[in-house]
């Protein structure tokens, strides 16, 4: 009878699994280098993981001279898949990948307006299931990023106005029930910042503003997302903008700007009209001054309290941020001893946030598989196994 506690062999196997999931396809020599384990230890772990359904041979690395070619190790599609979702007020993007991030399918569609939570949960779950229909392995994790604050990966606070009905935990519960898989909710700002970190390995301490249907905020230190104890953390939109009694969310969100434009006599249907149709209007110039002040205020708060190296802006208001950034930098340089690097980031509608959500999925799934391996040790080799062991 096997021991209840994991053995050194189990921990070595878990280490090899972590490296293979993160770096495959890779040669055995590279695996030995990254794990720091002996050749014999790595070989045993690889064969165990092959029996468990998590490692396959993925081709041959041709070498010159008399050297023996190395076989690449890879993760099979049957090991499982994950789903990242950008559930926006206007557009919903779904991206499905295998456990090493290879795309299986994606879709970006208009978000169907639902005031009934069960119907919204069913719509979202069906969209996820259809996008991942060709996946061969089990569904390991879903991360849904939306324009809201989220606590405990499930409870939604202060969502964008068109999504007010989704406040609370009911939507999360419905989606998880329909999919019968682990589901985590998160903010679109957190997902966007994860994508920034994935694109640039030099980013360590940063902040990000998502300026779309609502103002959302995220920050990281040493490449780790910061998460507060309460939904108040990151709720920068509730702070004063420095213009009359308006909050930052009233000036740095599409909903707030459209309302302000109409108050100034601009007959606009959508926020894009501010830079596509009314570019030379006098009322627009007044609005732009207010917007510039709000952006300056938001950056001042973040610079003083968090001291980030870089600050990013994403979302539908990005063109307007680009327009005012020169003035914003001038104001900050007059008032602050040091100004962080400020950058706007273009996004693929519906899918950039979904990509960031996939990164969260993969991290969660890799950690869960390592823990599952240590909890449920393999009992001997499994021949011709069609599904992963854990």
């Amino acid at each position: 009878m096997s021991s209840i506690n994991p053995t050194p062999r189990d921990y070595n196997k878990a280490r090899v699994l972590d490296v293979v999931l993160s770096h495959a396809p890779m040669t055995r020599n590279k695996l030995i280098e990254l794990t720091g384990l002996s050749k014999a230890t790595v070989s045993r772990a690889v064969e165990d993981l092959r029996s468990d359904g998590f490692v396959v041979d993925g081709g041959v690395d041709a070498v010159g001279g008399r050297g023996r070619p190395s076989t690449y190790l890879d993760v099979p599609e049957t090991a499982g898949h994950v789903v990242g979702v950008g559930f926006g007020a206007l557009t919903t993007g779904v991206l499905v990948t295998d456990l090493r991030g290879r795309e299986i399918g994606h879709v970006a569609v208009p978000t169907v307006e639902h005031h009934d939570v069960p119907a919204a949960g069913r719509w979202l779950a069906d969209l996820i299931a259809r996008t991942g229909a060709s996946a061969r392995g089990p569904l390991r994790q879903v991360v849904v990023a939306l324009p809201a604050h989220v606590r405990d990966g499930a409870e939604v606070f202060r969502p964008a106005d068109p999504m007010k009905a989704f406040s609370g935990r009911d939507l999360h519960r419905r989606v998880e029930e329909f999919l019968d898989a682990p589901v985590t909710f998160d903010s679109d700002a957190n997902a966007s910042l994860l994508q920034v970190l994935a694109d640039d390995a030099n980013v360590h301490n940063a902040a990000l503003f998502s300026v779309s249907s609502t103002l959302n905020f995220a920050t990281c230190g040493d490449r780790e997302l910061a998460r507060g104890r309460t939904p108040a953390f990151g709720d920068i939109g509730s702070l004063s903008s420095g213009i009359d009694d308006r909050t930052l969310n009233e000036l740095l969100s599409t909903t707030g700007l459209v309302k302000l434009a109409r108050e100034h006599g601009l007959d606009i249907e959508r926020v894009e009209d501010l830079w596509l149709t009314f570019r030379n209007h006098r009322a627009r110039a007044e609005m732009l001054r207010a917007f510039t002040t709000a952006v300056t205020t938001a950056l001042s708060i973040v610079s003083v309290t968090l001291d980030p190296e870089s600050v990013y802006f994403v979302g539908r208001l990005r063109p307007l941020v680009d327009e005012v950034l020169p003035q914003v930098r001038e104001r900050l340089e007059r008032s602050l001893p040091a100004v962080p690097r400020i950058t706007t980031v273009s996004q693929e509608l519906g899918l950039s946030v979904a990509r960031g959500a996939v990164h969260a999925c993969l991290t969660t799934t890799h950690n869960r598989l390592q823990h599952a391996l240590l909890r449920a040790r393999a009992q001997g080799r499994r021949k011709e196994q069609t599904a992963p062991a854990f």
Side-chain angles (χ1 to χ4, degrees):
M1 186 173 179
S2 62
S3 171
I4 294 176
N5 295 322
T7 66
R9 179 169 176 169
D10 295 323
Y11 285 106
N12 290 337
K13 181 178 171 183
R15 172 62 178 152
V16 170
L17 175 64
D18 177 47
V19 173
V20 170
L21 289 174
S22 301
H23 297 278
M26 63 191 309
T27 64
R28 288 174 184 263
N29 288 339
K30 188 65 176 179
L31 183 55
I32 291 169
E33 175 188 336
L34 293 178
T35 60
L37 300 173
S38 69
K39 181 177 180 180
T41 298
V42 166
S43 293
R44 282 194 300 268
V46 166
E47 291 312 306
D48 285 347
L49 291 170
R50 190 193 305 277
S51 297
D52 291 335
F54 285 94
V55 171
V56 294
D57 292 333
V60 175
D61 179 24
V63 297
R66 297 181 179 180
R68 182 178 178 181
S70 297
T71 302
Y72 274 105
L73 302 173
D74 208 345
V75 180
E77 290 185 1
T78 52
H81 64 288
V82 300
V83 180
V85 182
F87 185 31
L90 297 180
T91 304
T92 295
V94 178
L95 176 63
V96 183
T97 77
D98 66 10
L99 294 192
R100 73 168 180 88
R102 290 172 294 196
E103 180 177 322
I104 295 172
H106 74 268
V107 68
V109 299
T111 300
V112 175
E113 185 176 357
H114 288 106
H115 300 291
D116 176 72
V117 172
R122 170 59 71 185
W123 177 81
L124 192 56
D126 286 347
L127 184 62
I128 291 169
R130 290 196 304 271
T131 310
S134 63
R136 298 173 57 198
L139 176 54
R140 299 284 186 176
Q141 178 69 49
V142 178
V143 170
V144 179
L146 62 165
H149 298 275
V150 179
R151 183 171 65 180
D152 301 329
E155 190 170 6
V156 177
F157 293 86
R158 294 199 182 195
D161 286 345
M163 308 177 82
K164 290 293 187 185
F166 304 145
S167 297
R169 294 178 176 266
D170 195 29
L171 181 64
H172 175 270
R173 180 175 61 83
R174 297 283 182 172
V175 174
E176 197 164 59
E177 286 177 354
F178 289 141
L179 292 175
D180 191 25
V183 176
T184 301
F185 277 13
D186 205 349
S187 73
D188 57 357
N190 278 342
S192 294
L193 185 51
L194 284 175
Q195 184 59 44
V196 168
L197 294 174
D199 289 340
D200 190 347
N202 294 318
V203 176
H204 292 276
N205 304 302
L208 180 142
F209 292 97
S210 177
V211 284
S212 283
S213 51
T214 190
L215 173 62
N216 230 343
F217 174 77
T219 185
C220 68
D222 293 328
R223 298 183 65 82
E224 291 290 329
L225 290 184
R227 299 182 185 275
R229 294 177 292 102
T230 71
F233 180 79
D235 189 14
I236 199 168
S238 63
L239 301 179
S240 172
S241 67
I243 298 295
D244 301 328
D245 58 351
R246 297 182 188 273
T247 65
L248 285 170
N249 193 55
E250 289 178 287
L251 290 179
L252 299 183
S253 69
T254 59
T255 302
L257 273 186
V258 168
K259 180 180 178 181
L260 183 63
R262 290 170 179 168
E263 290 176 3
H264 280 73
L266 293 177
D267 184 20
I268 67 173
E269 294 296 325
R270 54 182 192 143
V271 74
E272 286 81 3
D273 290 337
L274 285 174
W275 55 86
L276 296 177
T277 304
F278 291 93
R279 190 169 183 85
N280 297 317
H281 200 285
R282 180 181 301 175
R284 181 186 185 275
E286 296 177 8
M287 289 187 56
L288 207 60
R289 283 193 289 271
F291 185 78
T292 303
T293 297
V295 173
T296 305
T297 300
L299 284 166
S300 298
I301 293 170
V302 169
S303 298
V304 169
T305 58
L306 298 176
D307 193 26
E309 298 167 334
S310 303
V311 180
Y312 299 89
F313 283 85
V314 300
R316 289 174 64 196
L317 295 182
R318 181 183 61 83
L320 213 54
V321 175
D322 276 326
E323 187 174 344
V324 304
L325 264 186
Q327 297 177 37
V328 169
R329 289 193 181 97
E330 288 180 9
R331 293 189 187 186
L332 291 174
E333 287 168 357
R334 289 197 300 266
S335 61
L336 297 177
V339 178
R341 183 170 66 96
I342 307 167
T343 307
T344 59
V345 180
S346 61
Q347 293 184 306
E348 186 177 357
L349 186 62
L351 289 176
S352 289
V353 172
R355 289 192 183 94
V358 161
H359 291 300
C361 282
L362 293 173
T363 299
T364 299
T365 302
H366 292 181
N367 291 336
R368 184 184 296 128
L369 286 173
Q370 289 184 76
H371 294 153
L373 184 155
L374 296 175
R375 287 196 309 267
R377 298 173 54 197
Q379 302 298 314
R381 295 190 176 186
R382 296 168 174 80
K383 295 183 179 180
E384 298 182 358
Q385 184 170 298
T386 58
F390 47 87

